Amino acid sequence: MKARMKNPAMVLPDAMSGIQNIYKAMHTGGVDPHTLELVHLRASQINGCSACVYGGVTGAKKAGETDERLHAVAAWREAPFFSDSERAALALTEAATRLADRSGQAVSDDIWDEATDHFTEEQLAAIILMVATTNFFNRLNATIQEPAGNNWG
């Protein structure tokens, strides 16, 4: 399969520099890199972005994530492999990704309160930016039909 076009973030000269600055900021937020990788992977799974799921698994494995945990991300609620803080980050990820699936608050007070029990404001900012940036790339890749393995997300 071939993408319909080059990734839009690569077509416009200034787009990637802004995106790279967001990634740099995310990684200075004090969140365990494994948690950020899980957040990226879960949002990509929800959105059905094969390029980002592929890239998420590849990146997580390079960061030292185990196959056991990666195979269980889609069913994290039922799997015993995740810490309470990772579960809070994954719940926040799902709520912030599935905005249209909710009436009322997109992120419930219960989900938010659980996240704030585990993360500082700076860490929450990094997680939210990871969710938003992942959703951004998921939408770019789905629109242009970016195949898995080209890995822009």
Side-chain angles (χ1 to χ4, degrees):
M1 174 189 265
K2 184 179 176 191
R4 293 175 168 161
M5 66 178 278
K6 289 194 305 188
N7 189 293
M10 301 301 288
V11 172
L12 300 175
D14 294 330
M16 271 315 281
S17 62
I19 295 164
Q20 288 170 338
N21 286 333
I22 292 171
Y23 273 106
K24 286 179 193 172
M26 268 187 265
H27 287 87
T28 64
V31 178
D32 182 307
H34 290 125
T35 300
L36 289 177
E37 294 289 352
L38 295 173
V39 163
H40 171 79
L41 179 57
R42 186 63 190 125
S44 297
Q45 289 173 334
I46 291 166
N47 289 322
C49 179
S50 66
C52 289
V53 168
Y54 179 89
V57 168
T58 302
K61 288 184 82 154
K62 284 181 184 174
E65 194 53 81
T66 66
D67 285 338
E68 182 177 60
R69 285 167 40 95
L70 290 174
H71 293 307
V73 170
W76 62 267
R77 284 180 180 83
E78 295 79 21
F81 312 121
F82 304 101
S83 69
D84 289 345
S85 64
E86 289 169 333
R87 291 175 185 284
L90 289 166
L92 180 59
T93 299
E94 289 186 359
T97 298
R98 293 183 162 143
L99 296 177
D101 293 351
R102 305 225 176 343
S103 59
Q105 294 177 315
V107 176
S108 72
D109 288 338
D110 288 343
I111 290 172
W112 182 256
D113 291 345
E114 184 66 21
T116 61
D117 285 347
H118 296 281
F119 300 104
T120 66
E121 185 173 42
E122 192 172 74
Q123 291 170 320
L124 285 168
I127 292 168
I128 294 165
L129 284 170
M130 178 58 87
V131 172
T133 306
T134 299
N135 279 288
F136 168 76
F137 271 107
N138 291 165
R139 280 145 182 80
L140 291 178
N141 290 332
T143 300
I144 65 169
Q145 296 182 343
E146 184 73 51
N150 284 3
N151 193 28
W152 291 110

